[in-house]
Amino acid sequence: AQRVTQPEKLLSVFKGAPVELKCNYSYSGSPELFWYVQYSRQRLQLLLRHISRESIKGFTADLNKGETSFHLKKPFAQEEDSAMYYCALMTTDSWGKLQFGAGTQVVVTP
Amino acid sequence: NAGVTQTPKFRVLKTGQSMTLLCAQDMNHEYMYWYRQDPGMGLRLIHYSVGEGTTAKGEVPDGYNVSRLKKQNFLLGLESAAPSQTSVYFCASSWTGSPTYEQYFGPGTRLTVT
């Protein structure tokens, strides 16, 4: 069965410092990977997805099939990046069904 | 557009009581989902629907039932609540199940079972 692992429960960084959130998955096929974000008192929302090859709010994520990873990176963290981040996976034989990781809480301090 | 709305926002139940959570979307989406969010476990899919009148089990369906009588509504029922069902419940919807279409989430319902 597929699985998504986010090893860090909490990541504390200073404003302006780089931030990297780790996401590893286990799936033998070709998955679709996503990052969702939940800001304080807001709804869970899509940040970016592998299929779109996009960069949102300065964040990027590269799918590394060899290492089965989809780490989220931003070169210069901002205070407004403080939030809960979830990595999620969708497989080709279960369209629509997202498998989420446990989440990483990011705190950016000035 | 209201997007995805959930009713109620909060609820406290006693063990054995029943209740229904309502999810409504005004985006004409075909797919709808119910997730539960627990600390340290992320979100887990309970049930989902690929269209009006159809439902299917997700990862953690036991103790829950769902219905999709109207395209815009997706109901989650707890017939006999248990403390293990204390959680935050999120509803979501999307155009289809394709990964090119984003899932839009509701604000959540915080349920406590005592």
Side-chain angles (χ1 to χ4, degrees), chain A residues 38 43 49 86 90 96 100-102, chain B residues 4 33 37 42 97 100 103 105:
Chain A
Q38 190 172 26
R43 304 176 184 214
R49 50 194 153 185
Y86 292 98
M90 188 184 291
F100 284 87
Chain B
V4 179
Y33 316 84
Q37 181 187 46
T100 57
Q103 288 190 18
F105 283 79

Side-chain angles (χ1 to χ4, degrees), chain A residues 8 14-15 38 51 55 57 68 71 93 95-96 100-101 103:
Chain A
E8 303 127 337
F14 287 108
K15 178 182 174 181
Q38 190 172 26
I51 197 170
S55 171
K57 298 185 178 182
T68 60
H71 302 330
D93 58 356
W95 265 175
F100 284 87

